[in-house]
Amino acid sequence: SDAAGYRHAFWMNLAAVVTVGTVGAAAVIAAGPYLLRYYGPTFTDAYPVLIILISSTIPETIAIATYQVVQTRGHIWRSFFWMALPRDVSLVLLAIPLTIRYGAVGLAAAHLSGATIMLLSSVLLVRQLGIAPHAATPEGQT
């Protein structure tokens, strides 16, 4: 019943998720060469892959934060067809040619593309549903 409070909580959560995700991603990217050395000297060559994969966490976290609106509305099947399926199908379709051509960098790029598609799908779905509290079902009714 508190539409303004619901929207405020949504936007505050989104801001917190974006901030923490961005700061965390930046920290891992900055420390990446040092972190990869712990796995062995040949792992430092994977730094471009790390950058791409860590960059994919930004659209993923935003998509997950917006997805909470979809969950509270009970549109799980809709989210499957609008978000999960496009993300996963695009990942597979892009992974095959990109991995053949670019190896691990191509696979990481396919993952980033899938995460970006999920973000766009999530934003479109939430935009369609609106950022407002879902009407509660009276007790005893389903």
Side-chain angles (χ1 to χ4, degrees):
S1 66
D2 182 11
Y6 183 89
R7 279 191 297 280
H8 178 74
F10 170 80
W11 288 112
M12 291 303 292
N13 178 60
L14 186 61
V17 164
V18 169
T19 301
V20 171
T22 303
V23 169
V28 172
I29 287 172
Y34 307 106
L35 296 171
L36 289 170
R37 277 193 212 132
Y38 284 112
Y39 292 98
T42 59
F43 279 85
T44 56
D45 295 340
Y47 186 61
V49 176
L50 177 71
I51 291 172
I52 297 168
L53 287 175
I54 293 300
S55 297
S56 73
T57 63
I58 305 296
E60 283 178 325
T61 55
I62 298 169
I64 290 168
T66 58
Y67 178 67
Q68 293 177 9
V69 171
V70 179
Q71 286 178 318
T72 61
R73 302 285 179 82
H75 290 275
I76 302 304
W77 280 108
R78 200 168 180 191
S79 71
F80 172 73
F81 288 108
W82 275 63
M83 295 170 57
L85 200 56
R87 175 201 60 211
D88 295 343
V89 168
S90 67
L91 171 61
V92 171
L93 292 177
L94 290 170
I96 294 168
L98 290 176
T99 303
I100 289 169
R101 184 164 180 141
Y102 301 107
V105 170
L107 183 58
H111 182 78
L112 175 59
S113 298
T116 304
I117 287 170
M118 182 175 73
L119 170 61
L120 295 173
S121 300
S122 176
V123 168
L124 289 173
L125 181 56
V126 168
R127 186 167 186 224
Q128 184 181 48
L129 294 172
I131 304 170
H134 180 64
T137 304
E139 249 183 79
Q141 294 181 4
T142 55

